Amino acid sequence: MSILDRFSMRGKVSIVTGGNRGIGRAIAQGLAEAGSAIAIAARDEEQSAIAIGELQKLGVEAISVKADVSNREELEAMVNTVTRTLGPIDVLVNNAGIGFHANALTLEDDEWQRLFSINLDGVWKASQIVGRQMVKNGRGSIINIGSISGLIVNRPQWHSPYGIAKAAVHHLTRSLAAEWAQSGVRVNAIAPGYVKTEIASTEYEDYRHYWRDEVPMQRYATPEEIAPVALMLASDASSFMTGSVLVVDGGYTLW
Ligand code: NDP
């Protein structure tokens, strides 16, 4: 097998949650370019239809499934639809997520729960439901999108629930990697720095100094710079990697 063949996704089936925009959309595009059939799962069907149109232009099978990752029934229905339409699932990218700034002294319980139900419970539930199928089939790769916010405390904004949930996603990654290693299922995470998408308010003047100028590379990432890392983790190129949290942050966490 040539080195580039190890990155091939031909004959594989991948699900990307939150695959209709931002980082998830770039990852779906990358996996499709490498030959994978793709399912994207998100809530906004109009936005998903636009993303699917682009994926289909690449000549791969691509479907969208309306699913809220915090809802177990919707995730189960998603897995059934994808398996029935595209075949057994080889890759799950747990990318869907939300973020908001919050002061710890005033944060309401329902806001805490809303964030955790998507950013942590959603990763757990999707991994469990897809993991059951992968373990049974003896193969699979799960990629969780964590964050540098799970490694350091960001500034100047406060958003402790976001960072706490991302730190938990990193440890969820290690825990499931250990538990499923003997079953042929690998579980890894990516911890991006600031990426120019809707979630990161990169346009705010007040944040630019901390979010861009303090990055050793002095810029934000683009979603397209995260996609190749996901492709490596999805493919046989990373066949001996499991439980890793790959930091992709232009050097942000070095200082
Ligand atoms: P975007 O806001 O651009 O996209 C978020 C995606 O998640 C959308 O596709 C959205 O689709 C989907 N989504 C949100 N909530 C749900 C839900 N309940 N069920 C299903 N899908 C949902 O964000 P990014 O692309 O920036 O972020 C993607 C991931 O990367 C997140 O996990 C984020 O925490 C992480 N990350 C982002 C960084 C950044 O700087 N941008 C840095 C580090 C990590 P829809 O609304 O249609 O459901």
Side-chain angles (χ1 to χ4, degrees):
M1 195 190 262
S2 85
I3 191 79
L4 288 180
D5 285 342
R6 289 187 175 274
F7 290 87
S8 172
M9 295 297 292
R10 245 170 257 124
K12 301 256 172 91
V13 173
S14 307
I15 301 183
V16 182
T17 69
N20 64 2
R21 58 186 157 86
I23 295 172
R25 186 171 176 175
I27 291 175
Q29 192 82 14
L31 296 176
E33 279 184 36
S36 181
I38 294 280
I40 59 171
R43 298 162 303 173
D44 181 342
E45 291 181 285
E46 216 171 292
Q47 188 58 40
S48 293
I50 297 169
I52 286 295
E54 278 181 15
L55 290 166
Q56 285 170 341
K57 280 189 206 149
L58 296 168
V60 296
E61 280 187 280
I63 61 166
S64 78
V65 185
K66 186 171 189 287
D68 182 330
V69 294
S70 65
N71 184 309
R72 181 175 284 276
E73 285 72 39
E74 291 185 22
L75 287 171
E76 274 164 357
M78 168 191 86
V79 169
N80 289 338
T81 303
V82 174
T83 309
R84 206 178 46 244
T85 317
L86 302 178
I89 299 156
D90 298 287
V91 173
L92 167 67
V93 184
N94 281 311
N95 161 81
I98 59 167
F100 52 78
H101 300 172
N103 188 315
L105 292 177
T106 52
L107 183 74
E108 300 284 347
D109 283 351
D110 59 347
E111 282 294 273
W112 167 277
Q113 261 141 22
R114 185 168 73 89
L115 186 132
F116 271 75
S117 71
I118 297 171
N119 288 17
L120 179 59
D121 299 359
V123 177
W124 169 258
K125 289 174 187 169
S127 300
Q128 188 185 51
I129 295 164
V130 176
R132 283 179 183 139
Q133 188 192 100
M134 287 179 168
V135 167
K136 196 164 153 229
N137 294 340
R139 65 170 203 278
S141 172
I142 297 177
I143 299 151
N144 299 321
I145 307 303
S147 172
I148 55 164
S149 308
L151 302 169
I152 49 104
V153 175
N154 301 87
R155 59 184 179 154
Q157 79 282 13
W158 302 124
H159 62 176
S160 55
Y162 183 83
I164 296 165
K166 289 298 185 185
V169 165
H170 296 169
H171 205 65
L172 179 157
T173 301
R174 298 185 192 102
S175 304
L176 298 187
E179 197 165 330
W180 296 343
Q182 302 261 321
S183 311
V185 179
R186 300 184 297 107
V187 188
N188 292 288
I190 301 172
Y194 290 109
V195 185
K196 218 168 167 44
T197 65
E198 286 177 37
I199 225 176
S201 327
T202 49
E203 300 311 323
Y204 290 152
E205 196 66 46
D206 295 354
Y207 300 160
R208 205 163 291 158
H209 168 72
Y210 296 96
W211 291 18
R212 191 190 62 191
D213 303 345
E214 287 213 338
V215 182
M217 288 180 78
Q218 301 256 303
R219 63 176 181 84
Y220 307 112
T222 64
E224 290 69 28
E225 291 178 296
I226 309 301
V229 182
L231 172 61
M232 181 187 72
L233 293 176
S235 67
D236 289 342
S238 58
S239 53
F240 198 53
M241 283 180 73
T242 199
S244 293
V245 177
L246 289 186
V247 177
V248 184
D249 69 350
Y252 188 86
T253 50
L254 297 177
W255 289 339

